[in-house]
């Protein structure tokens, strides 16, 4: 269907519109997943520290660390 | 043949919900990825150019699914809002709050891709017609819900106020859906209805369905994962949270004897989350 990679990227002159759509689509979803992954990592790290047996001695200064995002 | 009834109500308990999502999420991510690859391949390498629009119509494969997801996620959020308002089930508020960011992003993407599709097709990025304006209002409703929920310090009060907003805003969804029939709009009418065959080539329709499935599974995965995080935050002092975190910590660091030694054999362990 496509006459080489250049033809595919050009999209019959509509390349900026098509790739502008797909590019932002991909970036937004990647950003959402990455923000969520960081949030999950943060909360698990805090909770793991809090619940580990040595938490009382190793984590005194961070007891007040908030779980709120 | 014996039927095992699934007791759905048990998933209103955050601990059970958490364990369920632990098992479900990998399949949702994998399904979304498979459908997206198949949909993109069909959309770019099987579906032919449109006889009028050329290749710009390929934006449809993300524009239509994101617009559908925006409306669907809003309705789902409104349903959870009602459940929270009537029965005060905490998980319903967690679910509604977890749906809102993804719904807002899907609506934003529908508007963005719509603008980039409109430019070569209509000659303009934006026009204040009924479909576009009501979709913009949907985005503001999502943002309003998120802002209102976050603005009130008392989480229960914030949840109730935001739920009320979600409920009232739900009236906008049928307006979006039927706007192309009720008013003269620049936006094209429905190509796909439940009662008639789609007015597009089968390969285009296949790509559209695959991408819709991908967006649906992605939204399910990301909102359920967000709800898990939200549940952990809200229930951080609960025993089930301690057990779940210790168990996951032990799974990730098998060489850490101190954590393994106290690994609980509580409810989460019995659920066998993987």
């Amino acid at each position: 269907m496509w006459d080489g990679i250049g033809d595919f990227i050009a999209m019959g002159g509509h390349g900026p519109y098509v790739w502008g759509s797909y590019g932002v689509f991909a970036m937004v979803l990647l950003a959402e997943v990455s923000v969520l992954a960081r949030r999950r990592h943060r909360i698990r790290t805090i909770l793991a520290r809090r619940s580990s047996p040595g938490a009382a001695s190793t984590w005194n200064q961070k007891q007040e660390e908030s779980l709120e995002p | 043949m014996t039927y095992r009834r699934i007791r759905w109500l048990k998933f209103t308990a955050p601990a059970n919900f958490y364990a369920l999502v632990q098992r479900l999420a990998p399949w949702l991510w994998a399904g979304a990825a498979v459908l997206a690859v198949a949909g993109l391949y069909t959309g770019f390498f099987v579906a032919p150019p449109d006889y009028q629009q050329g290749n710009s119509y390929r934006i449809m494969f993300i524009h239509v699914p994101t617009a559908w997801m925006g409306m669907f996620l809003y309705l789902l959020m409104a349903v959870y809002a009602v459940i929270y308002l009537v029965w005060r089930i905490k998980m319903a508020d967690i679910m509604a709050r977890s749906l809102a960011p993804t719904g807002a992003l899907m609506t934003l993407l529908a508007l963005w891709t719509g603008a980039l599709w409109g430019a070569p097709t209509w000659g303009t990025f934006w026009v204040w017609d009924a479909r576009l304006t009501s979709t913009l209002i949907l985005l503001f409703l999502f943002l309003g819900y998120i802002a209102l929920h976050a603005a009130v310090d008392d989480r229960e009060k914030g949840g109730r106020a935001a739920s009320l907003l979600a409920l009232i805003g739900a009236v906008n969804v049928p307006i979006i859906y039927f706007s192309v029939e009720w008013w003269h709009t620049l936006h094209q009418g429905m190509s796909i209805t439940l009662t008639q065959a789609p007015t597009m080539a089968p390969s285009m329709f296949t790509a559209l369905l695959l991408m819709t499935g991908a967006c649906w599974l992605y939204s399910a995965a990301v909102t359920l994962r967000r709800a898990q995080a939200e549940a952990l935050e809200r229930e951080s002092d609960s025993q089930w949270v301690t057990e779940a975190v210790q168990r996951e910590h032990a799974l990730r660091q098998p060489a850490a004897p101190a954590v393994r030694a106290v690994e609980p054999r509580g409810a989460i362990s019995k659920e066998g989350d993987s």
Side-chain angles (χ1 to χ4, degrees), chain A residues 46-68, chain B residues 236-237:
Chain A
I46 293 172
L47 290 173
R49 278 192 207 138
R50 210 182 257 184
S51 62
S52 64
S57 57
T58 60
W59 199 47
N60 281 340
Q61 277 132 26
K62 292 193 177 179
Q63 281 295 338
E64 298 307 312
E65 197 169 355
S66 171
L67 280 169
E68 292 297 320
Chain B
S236 59
D237 294 330

Side-chain angles (χ1 to χ4, degrees), chain B residues 11 21 54 60 69 88 95 108 111 151 156 162 199 244 249 258 265:
Chain B
F11 297 116
V21 176
M60 172 181 77
M69 285 316 300
R88 301 284 159 85
M95 277 307 297
L108 182 71
L111 289 168
E156 279 195 22
T199 56
H249 194 72
R265 292 281 178 262

Side-chain angles (χ1 to χ4, degrees), chain B residues 4-265:
Chain B
R4 219 181 105 203
R5 257 184 87 202
I6 300 171
R7 289 180 297 124
W8 294 104
L9 274 179
K10 84 173 187 178
F11 297 116
T12 57
N16 295 334
F17 171 84
Y18 187 91
L20 174 74
V21 176
Q22 282 297 93
R23 273 179 281 170
L24 212 55
W27 296 100
L28 294 172
W29 289 124
V34 168
L35 288 185
V37 168
L40 290 173
Y41 177 79
T42 313
F44 280 101
F45 297 103
V46 180
D50 184 70
Y51 78 103
Q52 274 184 322
Q53 301 182 27
N55 286 308
S56 68
Y57 92 92
R58 295 184 201 275
I59 295 172
M60 172 181 77
F61 302 132
I62 46 175
H63 173 71
V64 174
T66 50
W68 279 344
M69 285 316 300
M71 289 190 283
F72 174 69
L73 293 179
Y74 193 91
L75 283 181
L76 203 55
M77 191 177 88
V79 168
Y80 279 116
V82 171
I83 293 173
Y84 182 62
L85 284 172
V86 176
W87 290 286
R88 301 284 159 85
I89 294 171
K90 198 191 306 174
M91 269 318 297
D93 187 44
I94 290 176
M95 277 307 297
R97 202 176 178 199
S98 303
L99 285 162
T102 304
L105 287 177
M106 288 290 165
T107 310
L108 182 71
L109 284 170
L111 289 168
W112 173 259
T113 55
L116 286 180
W117 192 7
T121 314
W122 302 335
T124 178
F125 286 100
W126 182 262
V127 59
W128 291 100
D129 88 349
R131 172 58 72 84
L132 279 71
T133 309
S134 52
T135 305
L136 184 64
I137 291 171
L138 185 73
L139 175 63
F140 291 152
L141 283 168
F142 274 123
L143 297 179
Y145 175 90
I146 295 168
L148 189 56
H149 211 307
V152 183
D153 281 340
D154 183 336
R155 192 175 263 156
E156 279 195 22
K157 278 185 191 162
R160 282 201 295 276
S163 296
L164 204 58
L165 174 71
L167 185 58
I168 295 166
V171 75
N172 187 43
V173 175
I175 293 177
I176 299 173
Y177 190 75
F178 292 110
S179 57
V180 288
E181 290 188 357
W182 291 345
W183 293 284
H184 264 296
T185 58
L186 193 54
H187 195 283
Q188 69 181 71
M190 298 176 196
S191 303
I192 298 158
T193 62
L194 290 175
T195 50
Q196 288 167 329
T199 56
M200 64 175 80
S203 56
M204 296 178 185
F205 187 57
T206 305
L208 183 59
L209 283 186
L210 287 168
M211 289 304 286
T212 303
C215 279
W216 199 92
L217 290 177
Y218 168 84
S219 300
V222 82
T223 50
L224 287 173
R225 281 298 199 193
R226 189 179 290 117
Q228 264 192 328
E230 184 98 18
L232 283 181
E233 284 168 2
R234 291 199 194 190
E235 304 263 298
S236 59
D237 294 330
S238 307
Q239 180 63 22
W240 75 264
V241 170
T242 311
E243 289 171 357
V245 169
Q246 282 182 342
R247 183 180 158 78
E248 283 171 34
H249 194 72
L251 282 174
R252 259 180 288 154
Q253 295 179 348
V259 177
R260 286 172 65 131
V262 295
E263 187 182 357
R265 292 281 178 262

